[in-house]
Amino acid sequence: SSEVLEAIENVIQDVLESLAKKQAPVLTLAKRSDWRNIEFKDSIGLQMIPRCTTKQIRSDCPRSAPKFALMLKILSMIYKMVQSNTYATKRDIYYSDTLLFGSQSVVDNIINDISCMLKIPRRSLHILSTTKGFVAGNLSYTEEDGTKVNCTCGATVFTVPSNVQGIKSSLNIKDLNSHAKFILIVEKDATFQRLLDDDFCIKLSPCIMITGRGIPDLNTRLLVRKLWDTFQIPVFTLMDADPHGVEIMCIYKYGSVSMSFEAHHLTVPSVKWLGLLPSDLKRLNICKDALIPLTKQDQNKLASIQKRPYIACQPMWKKELEIMAASKMKAEIQVLTSLSSDYLSRVYLPNKLQFGGWL
């Protein structure tokens, strides 16, 4: 906490020194979303280069002055929370003054900018993300308040804890215990619930299932990373055979451009693409009528993914993306129900896991 306080004090000191010299104060931020500031390392994923290009948030420019003020406001809130050892979610911060902030996305963006500017993980700023992910299967752990959580109880679903990893802070989950043979990341809640209903976590072999319910929040990504670090078991992904599903899988494996400054704590380089593969659609003779044409937006997203640096290291992934681009068709995991209602849990996943049908 002293490191966080000192980092904020240094920022404020720079502001005061500028004012003393009768100069307009500025805040200097790395350009988080600029691909030129990102390098790809196979062992980490997408990470920010040490000497990246920056932008200035000026206090004397009409376009950036409001953001400058909001950044100082949130810095002061963080400072008070760290001093008093209290915590707030991003949502709490937004609702503390909705008129001032205008929208939740403004708050989210500023918090990420502050974390990047101070080079301090967001959890150490005493800001918790609201969790939307679920976890189930062969796993038990103790939360920081002493609550014991046992996900192994049948078809029970637990929300991903909001205190997964306490880097430089007291927040943590501990006493993790599991006999799972693998971790299965499921893109969508509906598929996750269906697999639970089919007792998938215990029928084939003990496993841990996680869903971020679409694009994963920070806590879900942290949990997947913590489970991988702790148990060193295979991590598979089950996604729709569409550009959006591939994008989500890449976030778990390689990270995202906007959070590349925290890649070391968030990415799981060993993630494998289990399904649904574009090549599976032909192999399983899925009826053409059950497939969905790619929209223009889908095609643009697919073309953008194909150009990313990590795709060159994954020739099998590249081939699958080429199949999708050539067919101009996509499919949801639910398309397997056209073969039989329980095809996913009874045939598709057991065969893939047994015979090595992943990339």
Side-chain angles (χ1 to χ4, degrees), residues 40-293:
F40 169 64
K41 278 200 173 169
D42 211 19
S43 59
I44 297 164
L46 300 176
Q47 62 172 5
M48 193 170 272
I49 58 174
R51 291 194 176 136
C52 56
T53 55
T54 57
K55 61 181 177 182
Q56 289 191 327
I57 309 297
R58 301 189 61 85
S59 59
D60 61 346
C61 167
R63 280 182 65 192
S64 62
K67 181 166 183 177
F68 179 92
L70 291 179
M71 286 188 74
L72 289 190
K73 167 74 174 169
I74 292 179
L75 276 168
S76 76
M77 293 172 83
I78 292 167
Y79 194 85
K80 283 174 190 164
M81 287 192 296
V82 174
Q83 270 190 325
S84 60
N85 198 27
T86 54
Y87 292 80
T89 64
K90 293 186 297 181
R91 206 163 174 74
D92 294 333
I93 289 173
Y94 168 59
Y95 279 108
S96 69
D97 199 332
T98 53
L99 279 176
L100 177 68
F101 294 119
S103 75
Q104 182 69 60
S105 61
V106 167
V107 172
D108 296 354
N109 193 38
I110 286 176
I111 288 166
N112 284 342
D113 277 339
I114 287 172
S115 176
C116 186
M117 177 177 74
L118 300 179
K119 294 184 171 55
I120 290 171
R122 194 167 74 196
R123 301 163 300 293
S124 302
L125 302 177
H126 284 226
I127 295 171
L128 305 172
S129 313
T130 310
T131 297
K132 63 178 180 127
F134 290 147
V135 59
N138 195 288
L139 174 68
S140 62
Y141 56 86
T142 306
E143 294 194 335
E144 56 138 356
D145 62 359
T147 306
K148 286 183 167 36
V149 177
N150 186 2
C151 307
T152 314
C153 310
T156 315
V157 171
F158 290 87
T159 305
V160 167
S162 59
N163 51 357
V164 173
Q165 192 169 20
I167 296 164
K168 300 177 190 166
S169 84
S170 60
L171 290 179
N172 218 334
I173 59 170
K174 53 185 190 290
D175 304 330
L176 281 89
N177 189 32
S178 176
H179 302 293
K181 299 289 182 245
F182 61 91
I183 296 163
L184 181 66
I185 301 170
V186 182
E187 178 186 349
K188 290 196 295 207
D189 190 26
T191 311
F192 180 84
Q193 298 291 348
R194 179 64 206 248
L195 289 172
L196 273 182
D197 292 344
D198 291 348
D199 290 329
F200 178 75
C201 289
I202 46 179
K203 266 186 183 168
L204 185 65
S205 60
C207 73
I208 299 167
M209 279 204 320
I210 294 175
T211 179
R213 299 164 77 199
I215 294 171
D217 58 86
L218 193 68
N219 294 324
T220 304
R221 291 174 64 189
L222 280 167
L223 180 62
V224 174
R225 173 66 195 234
K226 184 150 187 120
L227 293 174
W228 179 62
D229 281 340
T230 307
F231 302 119
Q232 293 291 307
I233 52 178
V235 182
F236 300 113
T237 56
L238 181 62
M239 307 279 149
D240 287 341
D242 66 10
H244 189 65
V246 174
E247 173 88 287
I248 290 169
M249 175 173 60
C250 291
I251 289 172
Y252 283 106
K253 186 175 176 73
Y254 296 118
S256 59
V257 174
S258 62
M259 293 294 287
S260 58
F261 62 95
E262 266 204 71
H264 290 77
H265 314 306
L266 294 172
T267 58
V268 180
S270 70
V271 159
K272 300 282 186 280
W273 188 1
L274 188 68
L276 185 65
L277 302 177
S279 60
D280 288 338
L281 303 175
K282 190 174 181 183
R283 182 175 63 83
L284 298 171
N285 289 321
I286 301 291
C287 173
K288 279 261 175 83
D289 294 343
L291 305 179
I292 308 160

